[in-house]
């Protein structure tokens, strides 16, 4: 039987002027899977994510989502199709309260106010701290809380695929644990996730499958469990 992939990326080549940032990336994600993409600084992780969400367009190669070729689609259409990305650095609306940041997340699905309230209540259940701070201006939240809010805002669009770019970046160990706890919970709820992380240990521990990106190329892929035990990965990414 043919495997059913939610996302299929084939032979992506992406340039910034004459810098060849992605040199033929292929990657697949099945529904309900958590897939991690790991790699050092400058490997091309963010470029890959931005190409999926339509912010960048490849010179060659394709991105297929649920059997539709979305390679040249504009970002808002990709978002409406069910792909939500939490960018590196979070980009929350600092001058708006938590609850309005969440409301903006539901914009693409044109929610009724009843559903909006239901989704917000669901979010506060996963992140009780956000419920306590729903009227607080987002810019006054701590870094970890802003990351939670950014994830919540993406979830408000009820995405089929959630893309997380370095969710643990710059967070204290306690918040890193909390964020990964939430990712685990989303996984248990059946959310399909593409996770980009420099914290390779945690990213591999939570994922079903993983890809290693080095200077624009996938150099290794496999079950995340196997990569965790791979001596080369241990040496290069797990500090062994
Ligand atoms: P990091 O973990 O540091 O965010 P990354 O794996 O996400 O790294 P990318 O940001 O995708 O890597 O960058 C891949 C390559 O493309 C790097 O060599 C980078 O210098 C280059 N690059 C990224 N953005 C631009 C840009 N706007 N203009 C020119 N080159 C860029």
């Amino acid at each position: 039987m043919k495997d059913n992939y939610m996302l299929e990326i084939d032979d992506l080549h992406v340039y910034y002027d004459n810098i060849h940032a992605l040199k033929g990336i292929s990657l697949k994600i099945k529904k309900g899977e958590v897939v991690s993409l790991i790699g050092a600084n400058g490997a091309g992780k963010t470029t890959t994510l931005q190409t999926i969400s339509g912010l960048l367009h490849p010179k060659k190669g394709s991105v297929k989502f649920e059997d539709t070729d979305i390679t040249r689609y504009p970002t808002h259409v990709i978002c409406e199709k069910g792909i939500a990305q939490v960018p590196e650095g979070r980009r929350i609306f600092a001058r708006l309260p938590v609850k309005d940041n969440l409301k903006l997340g539901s914009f693409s699905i044109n929610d009724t106010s009843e559903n909006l309230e239901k989704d917000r209540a669901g979010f506060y259940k996963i992140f009780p701290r956000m419920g306590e701070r729903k009227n607080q201006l987002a810019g006054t939240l701590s870094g970890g809380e802003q990351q939670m809010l950014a994830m919540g805002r993406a979830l408000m669009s009820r995405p089929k695929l959630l893309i997380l770019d370095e969710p643990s970046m710059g967070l204290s160990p306690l918040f890193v644990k909390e964020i990964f706890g939430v990712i685990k919970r989303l996984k248990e709820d059946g959310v399909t996730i593409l996770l980009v992380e420099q914290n390779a240990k945690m990213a591999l521990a939570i994922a079903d499958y993983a890809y290693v990106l080095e200077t624009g190329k996938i150099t290794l892929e496999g079950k995340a469990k196997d990569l965790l035990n791979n001596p080369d990965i241990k040496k290069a990414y797990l500090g062994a």
Side-chain angles (χ1 to χ4, degrees):
M1 201 181 88
K2 187 180 168 279
D3 272 327
N4 256 333
Y5 290 101
M6 178 180 262
L7 185 82
E8 279 182 87
I9 293 176
D10 185 45
D11 195 28
L12 275 192
H13 289 260
V14 176
Y15 290 75
Y16 296 101
D17 296 323
N18 55 0
I19 296 171
H20 196 174
L22 299 188
K23 302 165 187 159
I25 302 285
S26 298
L27 179 155
K28 293 176 180 177
I29 305 179
K30 283 185 207 156
K31 188 172 185 297
E33 261 187 343
V34 173
V35 170
S36 286
L37 181 60
I38 61 171
N41 278 325
K45 304 182 296 297
T46 299
T47 305
T48 305
L49 300 191
Q50 292 192 341
T51 310
I52 298 171
S53 50
L55 290 166
L56 294 170
H57 294 296
K59 199 168 238 178
K60 188 173 167 232
S62 64
V63 180
K64 236 198 284 174
F65 181 65
E66 293 186 319
D67 286 331
T68 304
D69 187 334
I70 60 165
T71 321
R72 308 269 152 212
Y73 280 24
T75 310
H76 71 276
V77 178
I78 292 174
C79 183
E80 282 161 17
K81 289 214 157 285
I83 299 181
Q85 186 170 337
V86 182
E88 198 179 340
R90 289 131 216 176
R91 316 232 178 96
I92 46 117
F93 296 96
R95 287 164 185 270
L96 292 180
V98 165
K99 61 180 187 197
D100 290 352
N101 268 273
L102 293 174
K103 186 175 176 184
L104 286 168
S106 68
F107 182 70
S108 67
I109 53 170
N110 224 345
D111 229 343
T112 62
S113 57
E114 199 183 320
N115 280 339
L116 170 67
E117 275 322 314
K118 217 161 87 195
D119 285 352
R120 265 203 295 225
F123 168 69
Y124 296 147
K125 218 164 148 192
I126 306 177
F127 301 93
R129 201 195 310 248
M130 290 292 103
E132 291 159 20
R133 288 163 171 71
K134 61 183 176 202
N135 295 315
Q136 190 172 323
L137 293 185
T140 63
L141 296 171
S142 75
E145 289 164 353
Q146 290 188 13
Q147 179 62 48
M148 286 181 183
L149 179 58
M151 284 168 71
R153 191 179 59 194
L155 288 169
M156 290 293 286
S157 67
R158 301 207 201 123
K160 294 175 184 164
L161 174 66
L162 179 66
I163 297 181
L164 301 172
D165 193 356
E166 304 271 8
S168 79
M169 172 100 102
L171 301 186
S172 68
L174 203 69
F175 261 121
V176 172
K177 221 172 134 203
E178 202 163 332
I179 293 292
F180 273 90
V182 170
I183 297 172
K184 189 156 169 256
R185 180 157 171 188
L186 295 175
K187 177 184 175 171
E188 285 159 6
D189 287 350
V191 182
T192 309
I193 298 173
L194 174 58
L195 171 66
V196 158
E197 260 294 335
Q198 281 201 32
N199 188 332
K201 203 170 188 174
M202 294 195 83
L204 292 177
I206 207 165
D208 299 294
Y209 200 84
Y211 293 84
V212 180
L213 193 55
E214 282 175 29
T215 53
K217 284 187 181 153
I218 303 282
T219 50
L220 192 63
E221 63 171 275
K223 287 191 178 144
K225 240 190 299 168
D226 294 340
L227 294 195
L228 257 181
N229 294 314
N230 178 308
D232 292 336
I233 296 291
K234 277 186 173 169
K235 207 165 136 203
Y237 297 101
L238 306 176

